[in-house]
Amino acid sequence: MKVFKILCATMILILGMFSGGCGEDSQNSGKRVVAVCFPNTTPSWQRNGDSLKKLLEEENFTVNVQFAGTVDEQKKQVSEVIESKPNCMVIGAIDSAAFADVLAPAKEYGIPVIAFDRIIFDTDALSYYASFDNEAIGDAMGLYFESALNLKNGGGPYNIELFAGGPADNNAHLFFKNTMAILEPYFKTGQLVCPSGQMNFDSVATADWNSANARTRMQKLLTQYYSDGKPLHAVLSPNDDIAGVILDEIQKAGKPSPLISGLDGDPAAYERIKAGTQTFTVAKDPDVLTAKCVRMIKAVVEGTQPDINDVKTYNNGVITVPAYLCTPQIFDKTNIDSAK
């Protein structure tokens, strides 16, 4: 009897230990917890994060959204989130090349990771990628300049200056590469002329997509190359925020608004298009992307296959990441009234 009591007590203790351990290792068991780690570097990221949280909560997910202003801050957030073992993670990386080591535990824990808008390099911990067709965006910009300046029919010569996005964002490279693939033949014929001579990505990139950096560069360009009355016919701007500061500096210099691009479909850009200062924007409708991302999250959490429409384009150096690419839309003065 004494031995029996000892065995019973031992079994109760062991069961208690296993019960406590399972609670710690499965703290999100039975829940639907999604962690979202986004930059706060531009207003669009804040809007996307807020929208994603709202849509997921409507689907009865528990959502933890965090914003970071620097790579180190975001890496710390991602590491802490992984240790909380959510059912799914969504990351908009400040630096596409900075998260390979940070994400390794996510694969170990079996946490699905979705890259939002920006691919993440050099890791096999990435499950899916949700974005817009970034190569198509670059094509659209180049084709718009080609058509608006009548380059196919010999239009020009036109003076143009080039701006690109942040070097740490792979999308910025894709936009610029595809746009320049269309415009480069016209530089060779002399129909397009870049007075500054700044034409490769490194010389025209805007660190961190920071519009203040673009403003400073635009001031220098105007002072050094256009103070003698030389006209500026066109500017390739990589997004709407940067287009706004470029136009502001051009206006201060007393020059007319050039043909200028934009990206994101910001409300301020829509107003500039209506006013006739900004020429066009390539709208990446956040509602389209966040809605698609929510459907992707639901699928991976529920153990089903999410919708994928690209399995070839986005090799991150380790794996080719299955992706869903949404379709962007161009808005200019001809259709701006239909923009949301």
Side-chain angles (χ1 to χ4, degrees):
M1 180 63 72
K2 188 180 293 185
V3 173
F4 178 74
K5 287 180 179 179
I6 292 171
L7 286 172
C8 286
T10 302
M11 288 300 295
I12 290 170
L13 178 61
I14 291 171
L15 287 170
M17 289 172 62
F18 274 103
S19 175
C22 287
E24 289 172 3
D25 291 341
S26 304
Q27 54 189 305
N28 293 321
S29 179
K31 298 181 181 178
R32 287 149 53 96
V33 179
V34 179
V36 179
C37 296
F38 278 0
N40 63 7
T41 50
T42 63
S44 61
W45 280 112
Q46 183 73 50
R47 289 195 299 270
N48 287 338
D50 293 344
S51 175
L52 201 54
K53 178 178 173 67
K54 178 176 180 292
L55 290 172
L56 286 168
E57 287 179 342
E58 289 173 356
E59 297 286 344
N60 297 315
F61 284 92
T62 298
V63 189
N64 173 18
V65 180
Q66 298 189 57
F67 296 95
T70 67
V71 172
D72 287 343
E73 182 184 8
Q74 191 174 45
K75 288 171 75 172
K76 182 173 182 292
Q77 288 177 353
V78 170
S79 293
E80 291 173 351
V81 162
I82 290 172
E83 291 307 315
S84 73
K85 299 179 183 175
N87 300 103
C88 183
M89 289 184 65
V90 182
I91 302 176
I94 293 177
D95 184 339
S96 296
F99 288 87
D101 293 339
V102 179
L103 287 179
K107 183 176 182 182
E108 179 184 338
Y109 296 151
I111 303 169
V113 179
I114 298 172
F116 186 97
D117 198 41
R118 297 178 179 178
I119 195 71
I120 298 173
F121 288 116
D122 301 321
T123 176
D124 62 355
L126 194 59
S127 306
Y128 298 101
Y129 178 43
S131 186
F132 283 85
D133 190 333
N134 298 303
E135 293 189 329
I137 288 171
D139 292 340
M141 286 187 175
L143 291 170
Y144 194 102
F145 277 88
E146 182 183 64
S147 175
L149 296 174
N150 199 30
L151 297 174
K152 273 191 172 181
N153 296 317
Y158 296 111
N159 295 327
I160 185 172
E161 295 296 336
L162 311 171
F163 285 74
D169 181 0
N170 184 58
N171 292 350
H173 294 265
L174 293 176
F175 301 154
F176 189 75
K177 175 178 70 72
N178 280 50
T179 299
M180 290 301 289
I182 292 169
L183 297 184
E184 277 173 351
Y186 301 111
F187 285 103
K188 292 178 180 178
T189 62
Q191 292 170 258
L192 292 178
V193 178
C194 181
S196 71
Q198 298 169 14
M199 294 178 58
N200 63 57
F201 182 88
D202 290 341
S203 65
V204 303
T206 305
D208 302 321
W209 288 90
N210 189 325
S211 59
N213 295 331
R215 182 185 294 277
T216 299
R217 180 167 172 256
M218 191 69 234
Q219 290 169 345
K220 291 179 180 178
L221 291 174
L222 289 167
T223 299
Q224 295 178 15
Y225 302 102
Y226 296 91
S227 59
D228 59 355
K230 184 183 283 122
L232 176 58
H233 301 107
V235 177
L236 173 65
S237 168
N239 74 359
D240 293 329
D241 195 30
I242 290 172
V245 300
I246 289 173
L247 285 167
D248 188 42
E249 291 305 315
I250 290 172
Q251 184 180 31
K252 288 178 184 177
K255 292 183 176 293
S257 297
L259 190 164
I260 184 167
S261 58
L263 174 67
D264 289 334
D266 284 349
Y270 292 158
E271 294 305 312
R272 289 193 295 268
I273 292 171
K274 291 176 183 177
T277 53
Q278 185 169 330
T279 313
F280 73 100
T281 183
V282 182
K284 301 195 300 181
D285 188 337
D287 293 341
V288 171
L289 182 56
T290 52
K292 176 53 65 176
C293 190
V294 166
R295 290 195 289 274
M296 189 177 280
I297 291 165
K298 285 183 65 178
V300 298
V301 171
E302 294 169 2
T304 61
Q305 176 64 38
D307 290 339
I308 297 300
N309 63 6
D310 188 295
V311 293
K312 296 180 180 179
T313 305
Y314 289 92
N315 187 297
N316 73 351
V318 178
I319 58 172
T320 298
V321 185
Y324 191 94
L325 305 178
C326 303
T327 303
Q329 183 177 3
I330 289 181
F331 288 106
D332 62 8
K333 64 183 179 181
T334 66
N335 65 346
I336 192 59
D337 289 337
S338 66
K340 293 191 291 182

